[in-house]
Amino acid sequence: MAQSTSRVSATPSDRKPGAPVILVVGDSLSAEYGLKRGTGWVALLERQLQQGKHPHQVVNASISGDTTSGGRSRLPALLKQHQPAIVIIELGGNDALRGLPLNMTRDNLATMARQSREAGAKVLLLGMEMPPNYGARYGQEFREVYTTVAQEHKTALLPFFLKDVGDLADPTKLFQSDRIHPNEAAQPIMLGNVWPELKKLL
């Protein structure tokens, strides 16, 4: 997934004092890659929280192209700076696309979950799945990375972040021309997948 800059939705200067923070640490799927600003699922989440009268504010620390190693290295400073009540971890897809070892991905996600919980935050892990051409065995082992981390570190888990987006019969319908990044029409569906699990943590 292509490189891009980070997308921080709320900074300490414009955050309401005392408002609980939801920190999103992800890759291009959360960083509005190829989308108009304000149309990604994280921006839609901000609006949904406001409409529902939730006091939470969202900090989107996602970077397109990021891996679990990148997220792991960035997380301690983010936890210290933002002191989040909830951390949403949306990473791992780029690890697989780059052929990185699954045990490394699992270790990085586990470390991020542990550090977040030690900082007093609840954790929601957004799971991913690989396309069929990666093979059934690899696909199963990749799914198990997320379930194992969630079970061992007692985090909330959304098994497949791109449900009803990445598993459609027509792979072009909800994706940009690169067939990797979801388009604007997919963003409400992605939020719809996240919301039921996130709502339990609010």
Side-chain angles (χ1 to χ4, degrees):
M1 297 181 189
Q3 288 284 349
S4 178
T5 57
S6 61
R7 165 81 175 141
V8 178
S9 302
T11 60
S13 60
D14 61 20
R15 187 184 307 146
K16 297 175 184 176
V21 171
I22 299 173
L23 175 66
V24 182
V25 185
D27 52 32
S28 56
L29 300 181
S30 301
E32 294 189 327
Y33 177 85
L35 302 173
K36 291 186 298 183
R37 286 293 170 253
T39 62
W41 76 268
V42 180
L44 300 180
L45 169 62
E46 288 184 278
R47 290 199 281 275
Q48 182 152 329
L49 289 167
Q50 293 169 358
Q51 293 167 0
K53 307 298 184 184
H54 295 282
H56 301 72
Q57 295 198 22
V58 180
V59 172
N60 190 355
S62 301
I63 298 178
S64 292
D66 206 7
T67 61
T68 57
S69 295
R72 177 177 177 172
S73 67
R74 294 191 294 122
L75 184 62
L78 291 169
L79 293 173
K80 183 176 181 180
Q81 178 182 1
H82 301 293
Q83 300 177 7
I86 299 171
V87 176
I88 300 177
I89 302 173
E90 181 274 300
L91 289 169
N94 287 316
D95 293 43
L97 292 175
R98 297 179 186 186
L100 302 177
L102 289 179
N103 62 341
M104 184 180 75
T105 299
R106 183 171 54 249
D107 181 58
N108 288 335
L109 290 173
T111 298
M112 294 180 71
R114 176 179 54 78
Q115 290 176 339
S116 298
R117 295 197 68 206
E118 288 175 350
K122 299 175 183 177
V123 178
L124 172 57
L125 190 60
L126 304 188
M128 286 295 296
E129 293 189 4
M130 286 295 100
N133 59 298
Y134 277 72
R137 180 178 175 182
Y138 183 86
Q140 178 62 28
E141 291 175 347
F142 187 73
R143 281 192 295 273
E144 289 175 354
V145 166
Y146 295 94
T147 56
T148 298
V149 172
Q151 290 170 358
E152 291 182 352
H153 293 272
K154 297 179 173 60
T155 74
L157 171 67
L158 172 61
F160 185 29
F161 178 37
L162 295 184
K163 184 178 184 297
D164 298 326
V165 175
D167 52 3
L168 298 183
D170 180 2
T172 65
K173 184 177 180 181
L174 292 174
F175 282 84
Q176 300 176 39
S177 58
D178 60 11
R179 298 195 179 191
I180 295 176
H181 298 94
N183 60 25
E184 188 172 328
Q187 303 304 309
I189 301 172
M190 294 158 66
L191 174 59
N193 291 336
V194 173
W195 182 249
E197 297 303 323
L198 176 60
K199 191 175 180 180
K200 300 173 186 176
L201 305 180
L202 295 176

